[in-house]
Amino acid sequence: MQERDGGRLDWTRKELKDRAKQVLRTSYWKAFLVSLLLAVLGGGVSSCSYNSGGGTSASLPGLNGSWEEMSNSPMFMAVIAGVILLFLFILLLSIAFQIFVVAPFEVGGMQYFKQAAHDDVNMNYMVYSFQRGQYMAIVKGMLWKNVLTFLWFLLLIIPGIVKSYAYSMVPFILADNPGIGTKRAVRLSTQMTYGHKWKMFVLDLSFLGWYLLGTLALGIGILFVLPYDHSTKAELYKVLRRQALYDGQTSSKELRLPE
């Protein structure tokens, strides 16, 4: 890693990946288990699918006759209302699962990879977010980040992608200090990633070949790439955090770092 004029760090993909590989040489399978858990939870609540039964038709009592008669049938309306309510229930359950389970585990996963980059390999970091006094702060911080990202994507795809990179360090920041505050975490992540988003996008593209190879094994191979990806992002956070500390954007006290 080189330092430009003015003290700005100039990181490269190769440097980050090389350091990630060094970490994974001694702890790959632990990193794999963490990545596997994040991948499984990230799938959310699976939805049910319904088959029409091919060319065989089934009739319900009271629903024989023309479409007009069926659509006006109280039983038909009750079925439609039930389907809508079931859909809304599953949707709300899925959203709640993402907010209160997946997001805290994501922060715990990033805490694991961040600490592993400092030679502190401990699977207990996966439940880091569920410790007393930290859970709700992390839930609110991740919720605010995800809501902002969603709103930007509603505006346009490109701004949404740009903002997703701007807010990408929020899980790591919350892992450092869950009580930093929702808006402060987003603002600090935006400051950290300023001027780096294009390089971060190219960094993601550099994993594309690995993920394409992973799909050749029925998609299972992707799971073996995830630890490499997560470890590299943890190395990136270390660089961006160091730069933020140097620039005075944050402090060791704010991020609860050892002096």
Side-chain angles (χ1 to χ4, degrees):
M1 184 181 303
Q2 299 177 347
E3 188 173 302
R4 297 180 185 172
D5 293 337
R8 191 158 184 83
L9 298 177
D10 187 16
W11 57 271
T12 66
R13 299 189 305 277
K14 185 178 184 305
E15 289 172 336
L16 297 182
K17 288 184 170 183
D18 285 345
R19 289 202 296 271
K21 289 175 183 176
Q22 291 176 4
V23 173
L24 292 175
R25 281 194 184 100
T26 58
S27 59
Y28 176 82
W29 290 110
K30 288 184 178 180
F32 175 80
L33 291 176
V34 172
S35 298
L36 178 62
L37 178 60
L38 293 177
V40 171
L41 291 175
V45 180
S46 60
S47 59
C48 299
S49 61
Y50 298 90
N51 196 313
S52 62
T56 303
S57 61
S59 61
L60 294 175
L63 292 185
N64 293 321
S66 65
W67 170 254
E68 289 78 8
E69 293 174 344
M70 292 174 61
S71 61
N72 292 326
S73 168
M75 182 178 291
F76 180 83
M77 298 302 295
V79 170
I80 294 299
V83 169
I84 293 175
L85 289 175
L86 179 61
F87 172 78
L88 291 175
F89 175 76
I90 293 175
L91 178 62
L92 292 175
L93 187 63
S94 177
I95 293 174
F97 184 77
Q98 291 289 329
I99 294 172
F100 296 106
V101 178
V102 176
F105 268 114
E106 180 183 349
V107 173
M110 296 309 102
Q111 172 72 348
Y112 167 84
F113 284 103
K114 176 174 65 68
Q115 293 302 112
H118 292 285
D119 300 319
D120 181 12
V121 180
N122 190 338
M123 293 284 291
N124 291 331
Y125 285 128
M126 280 305 297
V127 294
Y128 170 81
S129 300
F130 298 92
Q131 296 179 15
R132 187 175 182 179
Q134 296 185 172
Y135 176 71
M136 286 309 301
I138 288 175
V139 166
K140 289 189 291 185
M142 290 296 288
L143 178 60
W144 179 245
K145 171 241 184 192
N146 291 331
V147 167
L148 288 178
T149 304
F150 174 73
L151 292 177
W152 278 105
F153 270 109
L154 284 181
L155 180 62
L156 281 173
I157 296 296
I158 299 300
I161 294 174
V162 172
K163 289 300 181 179
S164 67
Y165 279 103
Y167 306 151
S168 62
M169 296 296 115
V170 169
F172 290 104
I173 294 171
L174 291 174
D176 272 335
N177 182 8
I180 194 171
T182 56
K183 295 182 179 180
R184 175 57 180 155
V186 168
R187 185 166 65 251
L188 180 56
S189 177
T190 302
Q191 293 172 333
M192 282 183 171
T193 56
Y194 180 78
H196 296 276
K197 287 186 283 291
W198 174 252
K199 291 178 68 176
M200 292 168 67
F201 174 70
V202 176
L203 176 63
D204 281 340
L205 287 181
S206 70
F207 285 98
L208 184 60
W210 287 105
Y211 284 118
L212 289 176
L213 287 175
T215 60
L216 297 179
L218 300 178
I220 298 177
I222 292 176
L223 297 175
F224 294 92
V225 184
L226 289 175
Y228 186 25
D229 193 340
H230 293 322
S231 293
T232 302
K233 299 299 171 51
E235 294 294 340
L236 173 61
Y237 176 69
K238 285 174 54 181
V239 174
L240 298 183
R241 183 178 63 185
R242 177 182 169 189
Q243 184 68 59
L245 290 169
Y246 180 88
D247 292 340
Q249 295 170 346
T250 185
S251 64
S252 297
K253 181 179 180 180
E254 182 180 46
L255 294 179
R256 300 198 312 187
L257 302 176
E259 296 292 344

